[in-house]
Amino acid sequence: MKRSRNKILLLAGVALLVVGLPAASQEAPESLLPPGFGSDELPPRQPDRPAGERPEPGTPSPLPPLTGDTPPVGSALLGEEEALEEPPKPLELPEWARRSTAVVGAIDVQHKGLPADEFGRTDGRFLSTLMRRLDAPIASRWASILLRRSLLSRIPLPHGVAPADWVAERAWLLLRMGEADGARLLVQAVDVDQFTPKMFEVAVQTALATADPAALCPLVEPGRAISDEPVWQLSDAMCAALAGDAARASAMIDQARRRSRARGIDLLLAEKVIGAGTNTRRAVTIQWDEVDRLNAWRFGLASATGMVVPERLMNLAGPRMQAWQARAPMLPLEQRLAAADTAASLGVFSHDALVEIYSLVADTTDPSELRDSVGGRLRQAYVGEDSDARVGALRQLWDDGKTPAQQHARRILTGGAAARLPASEALAGDAGKIIAAILAAGLDQRAARWADVVDAMGSDGDRAWALLAVGTPRASVDVSAGRVRDFAKRDDSNDQIRSKMLVAALAGLGRIPGGAQSPLAEDLGVRLSVGNGWTAMIGDAAAKRQPGTVALLAAVGMQTADWRGVPPEHLYHIVRALRLAGLDYEARMIAAEALSRL
């Protein structure tokens, strides 16, 4: 579904008001029930609305409970059985063992994190509102990678938000971006006895996204103190089975069935997990024929037991869940390959990670079938006997991409192999695709080696020239106004979108000489000087050197399914703000990505 370009205006307008409003993120969620019991989204707590009023676009709706009322914990069921014995409560951590929530994160500047002051003195309520309402995943892979680094960085608690809720907002956005492992790093950095209702809910989602039911176990008892949701009884039963207490697990799941608090595939999947525990004799067969949608509960429990979810359901689930599938440890590698392409295109998988998964599959492929497989061709692209053999393998990999995401993933996959090719006139005919692959892997200095070859190609090298014009550390090719106009004259893209994006990117990078910027933009109908609330905010954050705020606002400006929905004016403000905030590399990679994917 195409997302509205006007969404940014709504988001920006709401964000401007948030500082004066109560912090909604500090309120308790309405339900702890994960998606798997009737909704696709996690419900952040929203203010009460009049009956019949619809939530704002992009705001997840509260999750409904399962059928039937929720009986008190420990009550008898229809007088037929006694309440199950509660397990012992976990020991409280001594004061010296507690971790501070004043600074939470998984990476620092030495490990590609952003500075501790990445958000400056920006109000936490403002940042939380932007995170909560951001429609992820976004169009740009490189912008998503930058946002992940920002969210995972070790940063102090901003003003105006509760500590655990601040971490929960960051983790929940990571989950929506497809970053299940990143979300887990944040959730695990907070002691359970400091969890808020929102943090409990995000922790449940994270356990499911990482296909790790055991991660639910520390949450069960403190979670029951907040709500009596069916998720806790089912999780308790699964955890009992994982701990080897088969009798207790069976009794609890039977009780849940009799109470009708869970039914259908949701209950069967919990039984499937129990059946995988020690000393259990439950054999459960899962039938997906009547299931019309996938959600976190179904995905997480199925993946945890090594079950491959039907392709039709994964396709309906969207890219976020496909990225979760790509890293699900219990699924066979072959079943994760298609999802790995999606994960790479989103920015969840790096070039190295994508090469590794295809290489692992190649190692288990029959030698007679290896040559025509992706892994076999990738190997040939690296170690072919000469440049012609390596380029031939690269062409096959590029041409095999079926969908836009897979075509993008193939460029990411082949970036390292393409960077090993000599920059020679003999390969000039493939220069555009070679440079696109090199930059997709982030190897900007390797791409710059092709500058002389591309300059000598003239009009035949337009696509390669445009990529080098924005992607290299310094302007390595002719970026005069005349060269830009010549490119625009030959541009056959719809509505000259490539030329518009090129001018916007060059202007944002400060690479258009003299007074040529305005005339070039005006000739193409790109309104670089027109502003709104969002442009003011991202410009202000850049001027204050707040790279985290800029990264988050850049993502706000890219809330669309693909690059065709990103206005050139947005690209200009994003690239310019990133450059001014000290993120020149990221600005160039985003600009090159725009030109290579349109």
Side-chain angles (χ1 to χ4, degrees):
M1 180 181 296
K2 186 176 181 180
R3 303 177 199 167
S4 170
R5 293 185 181 184
N6 293 326
K7 180 176 289 185
I8 179 177
L9 302 178
L10 172 63
L11 235 175
V14 172
L16 287 171
L17 297 175
V18 72
V19 176
L21 297 175
S25 63
Q26 297 182 27
E27 300 178 22
E30 293 187 8
S31 170
L32 283 169
L33 205 57
F37 298 116
S39 176
D40 290 325
E41 300 287 354
L42 172 69
R45 172 68 176 179
Q46 300 294 326
D48 292 336
R49 301 185 183 93
E53 182 178 334
R54 299 183 64 182
E56 294 180 27
T59 303
S61 301
L63 295 170
L66 292 177
T67 57
D69 295 329
T70 302
V73 174
S75 66
L77 177 66
L78 301 178
E80 295 178 356
E81 72 175 332
E82 295 297 322
L84 296 170
E85 181 181 353
E86 296 286 343
K89 295 186 181 298
L91 296 175
E92 292 188 5
L93 288 172
E95 195 63 36
W96 58 265
R98 296 177 183 274
R99 292 173 294 178
S100 171
T101 54
V103 178
V104 175
I107 56 176
D108 53 25
V109 290
Q110 284 75 35
H111 298 89
K112 298 186 178 181
L114 297 190
D117 62 348
E118 62 168 296
F119 294 114
R121 301 184 67 179
T122 306
D123 193 281
R125 292 166 292 181
F126 171 88
L127 297 171
S128 295
T129 297
L130 290 182
M131 291 179 188
R132 187 181 314 123
R133 296 182 179 178
L134 181 62
D135 193 1
I138 58 177
S140 170
R141 173 178 186 264
W142 283 103
S144 187
I145 291 172
L146 174 61
L147 183 57
R148 176 185 65 207
R149 290 168 53 202
S150 170
L151 296 172
L152 284 175
S153 295
R154 286 183 53 81
I155 51 179
L157 176 71
H159 173 73
V161 289
D165 283 345
W166 169 241
V167 179
E169 292 290 2
R170 293 157 63 189
W172 176 226
L173 178 51
L174 284 167
L175 283 179
R176 303 198 314 274
M177 294 163 58
E179 300 280 358
D181 290 319
R184 177 166 59 184
L185 288 173
L186 290 183
V187 168
Q188 291 179 342
V190 179
D191 295 330
V192 175
D193 64 350
Q194 300 187 61
F195 275 23
T196 58
K198 176 176 297 227
M199 191 66 182
F200 273 110
E201 192 164 3
V202 173
V204 170
Q205 300 295 323
T206 302
L208 297 171
T210 54
D212 183 14
L216 296 169
C217 300
L219 309 177
V220 172
E221 288 310 310
R224 276 177 166 162
I226 294 175
S227 74
D228 185 24
E229 298 278 5
V231 64
W232 300 129
Q233 183 175 14
L234 296 180
S235 297
D236 201 2
M238 292 188 291
C239 293
L242 294 174
D245 193 346
R248 185 170 181 272
S250 295
M252 293 189 72
I253 203 73
D254 289 341
Q255 185 183 78
R257 178 182 290 105
R258 284 191 293 269
R259 289 181 174 180
S260 298
R261 300 191 66 197
R263 60 181 60 179
I265 194 168
D266 299 317
L267 180 62
L268 290 175
L269 285 169
E271 287 194 85
K272 185 77 172 178
V273 174
I274 291 172
T278 306
N279 299 324
T280 58
R281 298 182 179 180
R282 288 179 178 262
V284 179
T285 301
I286 303 295
Q287 298 290 339
W288 297 96
D289 296 345
E290 301 300 321
V291 179
D292 59 3
R293 66 183 179 84
L294 192 62
N295 43 46
W297 180 266
R298 295 167 187 175
F299 165 83
L301 300 192
S303 300
T305 54
M307 293 179 58
V308 178
V309 177
E311 184 178 357
R312 66 177 177 84
L313 292 176
M314 287 304 306
N315 290 338
L316 291 172
R320 152 179 45 195
M321 206 168 289
Q322 292 169 25
W324 299 351
Q325 185 186 52
R327 46 79 50 218
M330 295 300 292
L331 296 179
L333 283 173
E334 293 82 358
Q335 300 296 332
R336 293 161 52 190
L337 282 182
D341 286 340
T342 299
S345 184
L346 292 179
V348 176
F349 271 22
S350 66
H351 158 73
D352 291 341
L354 193 59
V355 169
E356 181 180 8
I357 193 170
Y358 273 105
S359 298
L360 290 172
V361 172
D363 288 342
T364 61
T365 301
D366 188 286
S368 64
E369 301 175 356
L370 181 61
R371 181 180 180 84
D372 293 329
S373 69
V374 174
R377 289 170 179 166
L378 181 62
R379 186 172 297 177
Q380 182 74 357
Y382 273 97
V383 299
E385 58 186 17
D386 54 33
S387 295
D388 288 341
R390 298 201 295 274
V391 170
L394 288 173
R395 289 193 194 110
Q396 288 179 311
L397 289 168
W398 294 329
D399 293 343
D400 283 347
K402 301 297 189 298
T403 65
Q406 190 176 64
Q407 292 164 3
H408 184 213
R410 290 297 170 84
R411 290 196 290 272
I412 299 166
L413 175 69
T414 57
R420 295 162 64 97
L421 292 170
S424 67
E425 293 183 5
L427 301 177
D430 294 292
K433 291 183 178 180
I434 291 171
I435 293 169
I438 294 173
L439 290 174
L443 306 173
D444 56 340
Q445 296 187 28
R446 296 289 189 92
R449 295 185 299 122
W450 285 83
D452 291 341
V453 173
V454 171
D455 262 342
M457 293 172 65
S459 61
D460 293 335
D462 273 356
R463 297 295 296 273
W465 167 81
L467 291 172
L468 293 180
V470 301
T472 55
R474 291 166 296 281
S476 58
V477 292
D478 176 20
V479 290
S480 65
R483 183 65 178 91
V484 175
R485 286 194 174 94
D486 288 342
F487 177 89
K489 290 176 184 177
R490 294 185 289 265
D491 183 7
D492 60 355
S493 63
N494 185 38
D495 194 31
Q496 291 190 297
I497 185 60
R498 290 194 198 108
S499 298
K500 292 178 179 180
M501 286 297 207
L502 172 64
V503 169
L506 288 173
L509 292 170
R511 292 188 175 183
I512 296 181
Q517 176 173 304
S518 294
L520 283 173
E522 290 172 2
D523 289 347
L524 291 165
V526 180
R527 301 179 299 168
L528 300 181
S529 60
V530 175
N532 54 37
W534 171 76
T535 62
M537 285 188 290
I538 197 169
D540 182 63
K544 292 178 178 177
R545 303 279 291 187
Q546 296 178 2
T549 310
V550 169
L552 181 55
L553 287 167
V556 169
M558 293 186 173
Q559 296 178 97
T560 178
D562 59 52
W563 273 101
R564 289 172 295 180
V566 179
E569 293 83 0
H570 286 200
L571 180 64
Y572 163 70
H573 287 286
I574 288 167
V575 168
R576 181 177 182 274
L578 290 170
R579 176 174 62 86
L580 294 177
L583 298 169
D584 179 77
Y585 172 81
E586 290 78 7
R588 290 184 287 105
M589 292 303 100
I590 290 172
E593 180 187 355
L595 291 171
S596 69
R597 298 183 70 179
L598 287 169

